[in-house]
Amino acid sequence: MFDIDVRSRVPIYEQLVDNIKMMIIQNVLEKDEKLPSVRKMAQEITINPNTIQKAYRELESEGYIYSLPGKGSFVSDTKNTVSSQKIEMLEDNLEGVVKELIYLQVPVEKIKTLVDLAEAEMREDGNQ
Amino acid sequence: MFDIDVRSRVPIYEQLVDNIKMMIIQNVLEKDEKLPSVRKMAQEITINPNTIQKAYRELESEGYIYSLPGKGSFVSDTKNTVSSQKIEMLEDNLEGVVKELIYLQVPVEKIKTLVDLAEAEMREDGNQ
DNA sequence: TAACTGTATTATTATAGTTAATACGGTTTG
DNA sequence: CAAACCGTATTAACTATAATAATACAGTTA
């Protein structure tokens, strides 16, 4: 269910946070859906429950999930939360990079191919 | 001269490597230019000489600089590699930005439209 | 010769991530 | 009610890596 690389420099708990965030944003996990319990998740991916707890605590503090002691952890309603400001910033970035590439004679078609590649990778493994 | 964040998760020596690489690729540092000595650089940015040494060793092994014991460390001739490496760097950037945009639900087609827009602007007024 | 270079080595400290072992109280289920 | 789940909290220990510290050696330069 989750894609963790234990020897990455990115801490496990943070990989978990990123993974779950993405699944929430992409609606793979839906509003009020129950996440695996701390202990079950720990068993599933064979890491320590405390590491899961840390990830869940982080996700909760960022508003992606909410936890009910005794019941479980659930996906928050994030419908209206996606940051248009961040998108705008990234689009500016994109413009800059694209212009530099074109300046260096990289054809537009090549750039679009790279966009497709990035998207394909994104779907494959969800990494950044 | 260099832009180091000692409390970043990226190790100092790696920040140094990235910094210097970029300056070489962008021709801020020119061929055969002398870099600050290990000890002087350590003094300048108040970190341990061994950390500088580690960065220089890395840069040398990647061919960005060459070192002459007793004389100093110097920028390699990267004339024929710079352009392709710069492109590579930009393509990595592109990949990152695109993935983040997709992560934020921006459709691939929208991204490609932005690529076209950037190209059009590029042709119009020649800006970067 | 003195002061600089790169290079190497060994030991130590600091920090962050992770694991481990428990514990407590709420919830669900049989 | 009791057992088996839940989230949560705490403390200690282990690990890996980055960074520091203290030297040392040999080549170069002024």
Side-chain angles (χ1 to χ4, degrees), chain A residues 10-100:
Chain A
V10 178
I12 295 175
Y13 78 91
E14 200 167 313
Q15 293 181 52
L16 254 180
V17 167
D18 291 342
N19 259 310
I20 295 175
K21 258 191 209 175
M22 181 153 64
M23 294 171 90
I24 291 175
I25 289 179
Q26 295 181 344
N27 259 306
V28 177
L29 298 174
E30 288 170 18
K31 175 174 181 282
D32 295 326
E33 185 171 339
K34 190 172 182 299
L35 291 172
S37 78
V38 167
R39 291 170 179 85
K40 195 177 168 194
M41 172 88 84
Q43 212 172 1
E44 263 180 28
I45 55 185
T46 53
I47 64 169
N48 195 281
N50 290 345
T51 305
I52 312 289
Q53 191 189 340
K54 190 170 184 180
Y56 278 19
R57 193 190 307 135
E58 175 73 15
L59 283 165
E60 181 163 25
S61 84
E62 291 187 38
Y64 284 89
I65 69 174
Y66 61 95
S67 294
L68 304 179
K71 302 192 75 173
S73 299
F74 306 86
V75 175
S76 295
D77 182 7
T78 57
K79 204 174 296 177
N80 306 317
T81 315
V82 177
S83 162
S84 61
Q85 217 170 356
K86 182 167 186 185
I87 291 180
E88 201 175 308
M89 206 176 60
L90 286 168
E91 287 178 348
D92 282 350
N93 264 350
L94 182 76
E95 183 181 321
V97 173
V98 168
K99 283 182 176 177
E100 283 196 72

Side-chain angles (χ1 to χ4, degrees), chain A residues 9 14 25 99 121, chain B residues 9 14 99 105 116 121:
Chain A
R9 181 158 61 200
E14 200 167 313
I25 289 179
K99 283 182 176 177
E121 265 188 57
Chain B
R9 181 159 62 200
E14 200 166 314
K99 282 182 176 177
Q105 307 263 35
D116 285 330
E121 268 188 55

